[in-house]
Amino acid sequence: MSKEKYCATEKLAILEEVSSGKIGFIAATKRYGMNKTTLMKWQRRYKLYGYEGLERSTRNRSYSAELKLQAVKDYVEGGLSKYRIIDKYRISSTTQLSNWIKKYNGHSSLKAYKGEAQAMTKGRSTTWDERIDIVHYCLAHQHDYHKTAGQFQVSYQQVYQWVKKFEAGGADALKDGRGRKKAPEEMTEADRQKLEMKKMEYEMERLRAEKCISKKVTGNPKEAKLSQYRQENVYLAIQALQEEESISIQLLCEVAGVARSSYYKWLNRKPSSREQENERLTKMMMSIYEKVEKTFGYRQLTLHMRKETGQTINHKRVYRLMKVKGIQSVIRRKRRNTLILLPARGRECAES
């Protein structure tokens, strides 16, 4: 039975019947078709909220960020049970509290519901020296990540990650090497020459890739083909050049004007059911075409393919498959019957 079967008045009557001793706790659960947990929940909510706690909730309750954080700390640090905590802070359910604990352990912010202040500070950009100071402060205060985050106005997750990196690799592990390039004034003469060589090598490789792509890509992108990929001729050229010329996939895709992710999607593709059926019909079509000495057109091929498969095959589909294979019917020249006119003298001789 559903837990929402009874209204608030009926729930109160059941609780009063149990509290007065008219019926036992287990007997009540059997009589009214509910489990023990549901009846305990009614008792707890009635004790906390009164009659209002037995009514169906039509909207979500809002909790401040401070209340969420304090409730989680009572569970993590204080050792209180979930039921005691939801009774203490008048939280709707243990499920709600479990979600907050999960976010807290995952180093996520416990945000307020309706625009109240957040319990945890957002992350921000920092320098290498700042990160070192933050880590030393956290270690000096027995790994108190929350206190450190509040002191330096950074996020809990940032402090946690920096401390772990520092403990594993020292101060150098806190350096941010993402996209780091030397400034011109920091570069030596050898660095400049090395950079110029790299630029020249890249330009030469790009020119070679452009030349190879222009030669390798053949056919019209709009021409009919069995595959459903419109740029399959480009992908085939990239695949061949990477194997034959050892040119990087990233450079070839950039020169060809296609996304690298699209190329790898094509490379790892699996033929669709439509493509597999086209392959089967193409083999059948070519077999019939060879038997009739390459004379049939799409109409006759369609009729024979329908008879052989017992299925309805559209003549337009057969026409497209013929274009893919580059075949066509043999058009015979019509014989004209001509009447030979003899001269008048010749007719007289013929009559006589």
Side-chain angles (χ1 to χ4, degrees):
M1 293 186 180
S2 174
K3 62 181 179 181
E4 298 294 338
K5 175 183 177 181
Y6 299 100
C7 63
T9 306
E10 292 172 333
K11 293 177 183 178
L12 180 59
I14 295 172
L15 291 176
E16 289 178 348
E17 189 176 1
V18 173
S19 60
S20 63
K22 294 181 180 180
I23 188 174
F25 195 91
I26 303 299
T29 58
K30 293 181 179 179
R31 175 183 292 183
Y32 296 105
M34 69 184 72
N35 55 42
K36 183 179 178 181
T37 306
T38 302
L39 188 55
M40 291 175 63
K41 179 181 178 182
W42 291 355
Q43 285 182 330
R44 188 180 69 256
R45 293 184 64 85
Y46 181 70
K47 181 180 179 181
L48 290 174
Y49 312 117
Y51 183 79
E52 182 183 353
L54 300 177
E55 293 180 339
R56 293 183 183 180
S57 178
T58 57
R59 61 183 179 84
N60 294 329
R61 292 190 58 197
S62 60
Y63 304 93
S64 65
E66 290 76 12
L67 185 146
K68 293 179 181 180
L69 183 59
Q70 190 58 47
V72 171
K73 283 186 174 181
D74 284 352
Y75 179 79
V76 176
E77 302 172 2
L80 297 179
S81 66
K82 291 183 179 180
Y83 284 104
R84 290 187 62 183
I85 293 172
I86 65 174
D87 291 346
K88 179 180 177 181
Y89 295 102
R90 300 171 66 89
I91 302 171
S92 60
S93 65
T94 55
T95 304
Q96 185 74 66
L97 178 60
S98 298
N99 292 335
W100 299 345
I101 295 170
K102 185 177 180 181
K103 287 184 178 180
Y104 181 86
N105 291 332
H107 314 299
S108 300
S109 299
L110 293 173
K111 297 181 180 179
Y113 180 65
K114 292 185 178 180
E116 293 122 349
Q118 294 182 355
M120 303 179 76
T121 310
K122 289 184 178 180
R124 64 177 179 87
S125 300
T126 56
T127 63
W128 182 43
D129 294 331
E130 281 182 308
R131 291 192 285 274
I132 294 176
D133 293 339
I134 292 171
V135 170
H136 285 313
Y137 181 89
C138 185
L139 294 176
H141 290 79
Q142 291 77 39
H143 291 77
D144 193 339
Y145 302 115
H146 284 288
K147 184 176 181 179
T148 306
Q151 179 69 23
F152 293 92
Q153 294 299 305
V154 293
S155 70
Y156 178 99
Q157 187 174 6
Q158 284 180 312
V159 179
Y160 182 85
Q161 290 178 349
W162 294 337
V163 171
K164 294 301 180 184
K165 287 181 179 179
F166 181 83
E167 291 176 343
D172 291 338
L174 299 177
K175 291 182 178 179
D176 189 359
R178 295 174 295 178
R180 177 74 171 92
K181 293 182 180 179
K182 287 185 178 180
E185 57 272 10
E186 297 177 358
M187 297 177 64
T188 63
E189 187 64 27
D191 292 335
R192 294 191 185 94
Q193 291 180 1
K194 188 176 181 181
L195 183 61
E196 290 296 328
M197 287 294 295
K198 285 185 177 181
K199 288 182 179 179
M200 291 178 61
E201 291 174 359
Y202 175 77
E203 290 299 328
M204 292 175 61
E205 189 71 6
R206 183 179 179 86
L207 289 173
R208 187 166 76 97
E210 291 177 353
K211 184 178 179 181
C212 292
I213 281 288
S214 62
K215 290 182 178 180
K216 201 72 174 178
V217 177
T218 57
N220 184 3
K222 295 183 179 180
E223 67 182 359
K225 48 183 172 290
L226 295 179
S227 175
Q228 295 178 346
Y229 284 86
R230 296 182 179 179
Q231 294 183 319
E232 188 173 29
N233 53 344
V234 178
Y235 298 144
L236 288 171
I238 292 173
Q239 185 181 22
L241 289 173
Q242 197 275 331
E243 295 174 355
E244 297 170 4
E245 304 293 337
S246 299
I247 305 175
S248 68
I249 297 295
Q250 183 176 358
L251 182 57
L252 288 170
C253 291
E254 183 180 344
V255 171
V258 297
R260 188 173 57 173
S261 59
S262 301
Y263 168 75
Y264 281 112
K265 182 180 179 181
W266 168 84
L267 189 64
N268 301 319
R269 75 196 185 284
K270 291 182 179 179
S272 64
S273 58
R274 180 76 176 181
E275 292 177 3
Q276 293 176 1
E277 189 177 2
N278 282 339
E279 288 284 353
R280 182 177 61 83
L281 292 177
T282 302
K283 291 180 181 179
M284 183 189 306
M285 178 187 71
M286 294 303 297
S287 176
I288 298 172
Y289 188 71
E290 293 293 336
K291 288 180 181 178
V292 297
E293 298 180 355
K294 304 179 181 181
T295 56
F296 278 179
Y298 71 93
R299 294 183 181 88
Q300 288 294 330
L301 285 174
T302 303
L303 292 174
H304 282 73
M305 290 170 68
R306 287 175 180 173
K307 290 179 180 178
E308 189 168 333
T309 60
Q311 299 176 357
T312 302
I313 302 175
N314 194 293
H315 65 279
K316 296 179 183 178
R317 187 177 191 180
V318 177
Y319 182 74
R320 286 195 299 269
L321 296 178
M322 290 180 66
K323 289 181 65 177
V324 171
K325 303 303 291 186
I327 62 175
Q328 61 181 4
S329 63
V330 175
I331 303 175
R332 298 181 178 87
R333 296 181 62 181
K334 292 183 179 180
R335 295 181 60 183
R336 295 183 179 180
N337 296 323
T338 56
L339 179 63
I340 301 175
L341 298 177
L342 299 175
R345 187 173 182 180
R347 287 199 303 269
E348 293 175 358
C349 295
E351 290 175 357
S352 62

